[in-house]
Amino acid sequence: MKAVINVIKEQIENFYLIFRLASYDIKGRYQSHYLGVAWQFINPAMQIIIYWLVFGLGIRSGHPIGSTPFFVYMILGAIPWFFISSAIIQGSNSVYNKVSLVSKMKFPVSVLPSITIVSNIFNLIFMLLILGVILYVYRINPGIYLLQLPYFILCMVIFLFAVTLLFSTIATMARDFQLALQSFMRMMIYVLPVLWDMEKLSLLNFFRLNPLYYLIDGFRKTFLVKEWFFHDWKYMLYFWIITLLMLFIGSIVHIRFRKQFVDYI
């Protein structure tokens, strides 16, 4: 428990530093590109168009899911997925990429995954603004249920921090893990409720064991189903148990090995 407290304390004490470095990270990543940070929005937009053409117009022939247009249904799953996927892949590699730069100074290495998550939050906010326009065009109004959107964003941030804290430690010590993780995340989009409705599948309870299912499904239900997050309190409890367990394990492993990170570079 002491490891968890130390890690959380480092995030709080360096809150301003995390946001400042996240903004520098975004600018530096696209500094040599003519379109600059616009690529952070162009890439997911191009993927959404491809998914819509293949799965919406191709496989489904433009048919809606229930009473919801497929494009709206898909984008409500794609927006949280792009945020989650990018944060996990980049966050798991954050320590390996930056530890050599901060090893000779007094710098809390545990904030490196947080910097990656925050840099992706800026992209998420922009996508949510675009989503607002799309929902307005299709005349979809979540009403008062929109108030629970910050809850699911908070869930994503805490879960992603717990996961990337653990994964960044493992990926630093075993580089094969990063490649395996990238392959795994590419597969995940097809076993999560991103591109299609999974509510009628016989293996639904099995897929719901994946905590990412809770995040994406909850995000979509906020806008479409109009169901409060505590309606399925057992599933909510399951998600938080898994998240806190990941945070506990990740904190212990990170504290245990972070003094040896430079040796693995």
Side-chain angles (χ1 to χ4, degrees), residues 14 17 102-109:
N14 296 276
L17 178 64
V102 302
S103 60
K104 298 180 181 180
M105 63 182 73
K106 188 177 181 181
F107 188 92
V109 182

Side-chain angles (χ1 to χ4, degrees), residues 173-186:
M173 297 184 295
R175 293 304 296 159
D176 290 348
F177 179 82
Q178 182 68 22
L179 296 177
L181 179 62
Q182 292 176 4
S183 299
F184 179 77
M185 294 304 295
R186 282 193 290 267

Side-chain angles (χ1 to χ4, degrees), residues 126-191:
F126 178 82
M127 295 297 291
L128 288 176
L129 294 176
I130 299 299
L131 174 63
V133 175
I134 294 173
L135 294 179
Y136 177 79
V137 171
Y138 282 92
R139 297 182 179 180
I140 297 176
N141 181 16
I144 194 174
Y145 295 91
L146 190 62
L147 294 175
Q148 69 181 4
L149 181 60
Y151 164 75
F152 283 108
I153 293 177
L154 179 64
C155 288
M156 285 191 284
V157 170
I158 296 177
F159 176 79
L160 289 173
F161 175 71
V163 168
T164 54
L165 185 67
L166 175 61
F167 286 1
S168 62
T169 303
I170 299 175
T172 301
M173 297 184 295
R175 293 304 296 159
D176 290 348
F177 179 82
Q178 182 68 22
L179 296 177
L181 179 62
Q182 292 176 4
S183 299
F184 179 77
M185 294 304 295
R186 282 193 290 267
M187 179 189 69
M188 275 292 99
I189 192 173
Y190 302 107
V191 294

Side-chain angles (χ1 to χ4, degrees), residues 1-8 10 109-110 165 169 247-261:
M1 194 64 183
K2 184 179 179 181
V4 177
I5 295 175
N6 289 340
V7 167
I8 294 177
E10 289 176 349
V109 182
S110 67
L165 185 67
T169 303
L247 179 60
F248 179 75
I249 296 174
S251 299
I252 293 177
V253 174
H254 178 83
I255 295 295
R256 169 66 178 80
F257 291 101
R258 67 177 175 183
K259 291 183 179 180
Q260 306 171 30
F261 282 159

Side-chain angles (χ1 to χ4, degrees), residues 94-243:
S94 59
V95 172
Y96 181 84
N97 284 338
K98 300 286 177 53
V99 71
S100 59
L101 300 176
V102 302
S103 60
K104 298 180 181 180
M105 63 182 73
K106 188 177 181 181
F107 188 92
V109 182
S110 67
V111 307
L112 293 176
S114 296
I115 293 171
T116 302
I117 294 172
V118 171
S119 66
N120 281 279
I121 283 181
F122 294 136
N123 185 29
L124 175 65
I125 293 174
F126 178 82
M127 295 297 291
L128 288 176
L129 294 176
I130 299 299
L131 174 63
V133 175
I134 294 173
L135 294 179
Y136 177 79
V137 171
Y138 282 92
R139 297 182 179 180
I140 297 176
N141 181 16
I144 194 174
Y145 295 91
L146 190 62
L147 294 175
Q148 69 181 4
L149 181 60
Y151 164 75
F152 283 108
I153 293 177
L154 179 64
C155 288
M156 285 191 284
V157 170
I158 296 177
F159 176 79
L160 289 173
F161 175 71
V163 168
T164 54
L165 185 67
L166 175 61
F167 286 1
S168 62
T169 303
I170 299 175
T172 301
M173 297 184 295
R175 293 304 296 159
D176 290 348
F177 179 82
Q178 182 68 22
L179 296 177
L181 179 62
Q182 292 176 4
S183 299
F184 179 77
M185 294 304 295
R186 282 193 290 267
M187 179 189 69
M188 275 292 99
I189 192 173
Y190 302 107
V191 294
L192 289 171
V194 178
L195 302 174
W196 44 59
D197 183 12
M198 305 179 71
E199 292 295 325
K200 298 180 181 180
L201 294 180
S202 58
L203 294 175
L204 176 62
N205 290 332
F206 171 76
F207 289 119
R208 279 164 59 93
L209 292 176
N210 186 342
L212 295 180
Y213 191 106
Y214 174 81
L215 297 172
I216 296 174
D217 188 56
F219 187 93
R220 178 179 282 134
K221 284 183 176 179
T222 297
F223 293 93
L224 298 180
V225 181
K226 298 180 180 180
E227 180 180 284
W228 290 111
F229 66 90
F230 50 78
H231 178 76
D232 190 353
W233 65 269
K234 292 182 180 179
Y235 193 34
M236 180 183 71
L237 181 62
Y238 167 79
F239 168 79
W240 281 110
I241 290 175
I242 296 297
T243 299

